[in-house]
Amino acid sequence: MQNEICKKNSEKNRTLKILYAGSPEASARTLEILLERSQGVYEIAGVLTNPPSAKGRKKDLLPTAVGAFAQEKNIPVYAAQKLDADFREIIAALDFDILVCFAYGKIFGPKFLSLFKIGGMNLHPSLLPKYRGPTPIPAAILNMDKETAVTVQTLSLGMDEGEILAQEKIALDFTETADSLLEKSATIGADLIDGVLRECARLGKMPQGAAQQGEASYTKIISREDTLINWNECAQKISAFVRAYTNEGGAFTRIASAEGETLKILKCVPFNKNEIENKKIALPENFSEMKNGTVISFDKRTGILVKCKESILCLIELQRQQRKAMNYKDFMNGERNFLGTFLC
């Protein structure tokens, strides 16, 4: 009996051995913070990430952001194509306590999850059960939600169906982009994971989570065509659309006069009727008859003005196909005939 008590106390007090699974830059930021805060309570003993992929003009094989950071810190990196039996045998021999995941990009099966003594946890940047799936941040911005959240949940076989271990809400003010919200989520998420890991160390097991409450909704993988701007929407919705896809390479439109050449809209501001009057923006006499998507004027104070549904979108940063991103003044210096252009 005494030996069993000593064994349990030893399990509670020993440094937890963690396999961290992730791939993109935001996940690397979370990993960096966890390394700084581990303080002997837990150890990032290995990193699981996607294999190197071809990038740049030369198509060089480059590691993921998480893989590159782990290499810098001399953390063993496991970049498996498949989590098959051979790979599971490698992980089993390393005797990890916990799997911690943030944006890894693959689904974990029951055989893989069974390799971890305490289990696994996943960081998901949404107010679960709202926006389960791969793209919760764009969804929250697109729907112009007033708040979202960062959630740490137990890893389950169902998509983002695990119990909630920790959660922090984030107020949205309709200026955030997918990039800025992802960065904030990575930092907040690291705090939450750190807290849960310390509780795991104290208890010697996964703490009791809470079942998700409310109706679930699901997001999908974003395709290139999903990021095409619809100029028949109001300016506020188009602005949200642009902000939602900064992490996906940018929302884009096509230039009708240039045989459909693409133009990315990287930054913009919506103007409704009151704002147009307050800023004393002069509209063409035939404004109401113009097609939505028409470039109506260039205001040096604000940007390039495009007509949309009952409003105007002011373009601040743009990127023409195969050219570098520019602010609106530099763009117009090289595009003297851009006024009157129809975007579609």
Side-chain angles (χ1 to χ4, degrees):
M1 182 66 177
Q2 185 66 32
N3 288 338
E4 288 183 9
I5 293 173
C6 290
K7 184 179 178 182
K8 288 181 179 179
N9 287 337
S10 176
E11 288 176 351
K12 288 181 183 180
N13 295 328
R14 71 186 179 88
T15 300
L16 296 176
K17 192 175 179 182
I18 295 170
L19 178 65
Y20 182 91
S23 294
E25 190 68 41
S27 186
R29 176 58 182 151
T30 299
L31 173 59
E32 180 181 15
I33 296 171
L34 290 175
L35 278 175
E36 292 170 355
R37 298 187 181 178
S38 57
Q39 298 174 344
V41 177
Y42 52 87
E43 172 196 5
I44 309 296
V47 159
L48 174 62
T49 191
N50 286 324
S53 58
K55 295 177 183 177
R57 291 183 179 180
K58 295 182 180 180
K59 300 299 181 183
D60 294 328
L61 283 177
L62 298 176
T64 66
V66 166
F69 177 78
Q71 288 171 359
E72 289 177 10
K73 300 298 182 180
N74 296 315
I75 301 171
V77 176
Y78 306 96
Q81 288 284 358
K82 295 181 179 179
L83 307 182
D84 56 16
D86 290 340
F87 184 69
R88 290 197 301 272
E89 187 175 341
I90 293 170
I91 297 301
L94 295 168
D95 200 31
F96 290 105
D97 294 303
I98 304 177
L99 174 64
V100 175
C101 177
F102 176 29
Y104 169 51
K106 289 186 174 71
I107 301 297
F108 299 113
K111 292 180 181 179
F112 188 79
L113 290 177
S114 69
L115 302 177
F116 303 89
K117 297 185 189 72
I118 294 179
M121 65 183 75
N122 177 54
L123 179 64
H124 190 73
S126 86
L127 189 58
L128 287 173
K130 198 173 186 180
Y131 306 139
R132 291 174 177 170
T135 54
I137 286 178
I141 296 174
L142 278 173
N143 292 327
M144 294 187 283
D145 293 347
K146 293 182 179 179
E147 67 176 8
T148 186
V150 181
T151 304
V152 178
Q153 59 174 328
T154 57
L155 275 166
S156 66
L157 298 180
M159 183 181 289
D160 298 319
E161 295 178 5
E163 293 184 341
I164 294 174
L165 299 168
Q167 188 175 77
E168 183 172 327
K169 292 183 178 180
I170 302 173
L172 303 179
D173 62 8
F174 312 116
T175 62
E176 48 278 308
T177 66
D179 285 329
S180 67
L181 189 51
L182 184 58
E183 184 178 346
K184 181 181 286 189
S185 297
T187 303
I188 293 173
D191 289 338
L192 298 179
I193 291 172
D194 177 70
V196 175
L197 287 174
R198 289 177 183 280
E199 188 68 0
C200 288
R202 187 183 71 82
L203 297 173
K205 63 180 182 179
M206 192 73 74
Q208 181 64 48
Q212 296 182 26
Q213 301 293 326
E215 185 176 354
S217 62
Y218 292 84
T219 62
K220 64 172 186 174
I221 294 173
I222 295 166
S223 70
R224 180 60 176 153
E225 287 304 307
D226 289 329
T227 66
L228 176 63
I229 294 169
N230 178 6
W231 294 101
N232 291 317
E233 296 282 7
C234 69
Q236 189 178 24
K237 282 191 176 182
I238 298 174
S239 172
F241 191 88
V242 169
R243 291 185 290 106
Y245 292 128
T246 55
N247 199 242
E248 301 293 332
F252 77 102
T253 186
R254 294 189 173 96
I255 304 172
S257 59
E259 299 181 349
E261 179 186 330
T262 61
L263 176 70
K264 287 183 181 180
I265 310 302
L266 303 176
K267 190 175 181 181
C268 61
V269 175
F271 291 159
N272 58 30
K273 290 181 179 179
N274 291 334
E275 288 167 327
I276 292 169
E277 292 176 3
N278 292 338
K279 294 180 183 296
K280 298 181 179 179
I281 296 172
L283 300 179
E285 291 184 1
N286 63 337
F287 174 76
S288 61
E289 300 169 6
M290 288 179 167
K291 288 183 178 180
N292 294 331
T294 302
V295 179
I296 61 172
S297 65
F298 168 45
D299 188 317
K300 290 184 178 180
R301 301 166 301 161
T302 54
I304 300 166
L305 307 181
V306 181
K307 183 180 185 294
C308 41
K309 182 182 177 182
E310 299 176 351
S311 49
I312 290 174
L313 191 70
C314 177
L315 310 185
I316 297 173
E317 188 176 348
L318 312 86
Q319 184 176 10
R320 196 152 183 171
Q321 189 171 319
Q322 296 182 337
R323 300 185 193 179
K324 66 179 182 179
M326 297 182 179
N327 64 47
Y328 65 93
K329 291 181 180 178
D330 291 339
F331 182 89
M332 289 303 292
N333 284 338
E335 301 284 347
R336 299 291 185 180
N337 299 318
F338 195 60
L339 296 184
T341 297
F342 178 57
L343 305 177
C344 57

